[in-house]
Amino acid sequence: MANTSETLRRASEQLTELTGMEAESVSSFQRTEDGWTLTVEVLELARVPDTMSLLASYEVQVDQEGELVGYRRVRRYERGRADRSR
């Protein structure tokens, strides 16, 4: 089994390969009994100015060996927009 940073990097690369969209960062991750659950921020549509680009948060499931086993988009937003206070 790979170390945590290697697992996060590999999951981001696999998501990029599957979707064709650039994974920008991992914004959260959590170990599960089956592997890992990550939230990966992805550039979906580049715009000018960059603050108008569309990003999305993807929930990604990774198994114990670091292989991506599932993903889904959970949020889509403009880069320049902050989350609303809850």
Side-chain angles (χ1 to χ4, degrees):
M1 181 178 184
N3 66 35
T4 302
S5 61
E6 177 68 16
T7 299
L8 300 178
R9 185 189 61 73
R10 286 185 57 207
S12 294
E13 288 174 354
Q14 290 174 69
L15 183 64
T16 295
E17 187 176 308
L18 289 170
T19 63
M21 295 179 284
E22 179 185 349
E24 293 204 340
S25 64
V26 175
S27 58
S28 69
F29 64 96
Q30 179 177 341
R31 192 166 230 348
T32 66
E33 63 183 52
D34 298 325
W36 297 87
T37 298
L38 297 75
T39 303
V40 180
E41 305 306 318
V42 172
L43 177 62
E44 287 202 334
L45 180 62
R47 291 186 175 161
V48 176
D50 189 52
T51 56
M52 296 302 292
S53 293
L54 289 178
L55 294 128
S57 299
Y58 280 78
E59 182 179 276
V60 178
Q61 291 82 36
V62 179
D63 67 14
Q64 295 286 349
E65 286 74 43
E67 295 299 316
L68 190 145
V69 294
Y71 68 91
R72 68 185 180 101
R73 184 173 68 193
V74 294
R75 180 174 169 246
R76 195 171 192 205
Y77 58 98
E78 290 178 342
R79 185 184 301 274
R81 298 236 178 183
D83 285 338
R84 290 182 181 189
S85 298
R86 294 181 186 191

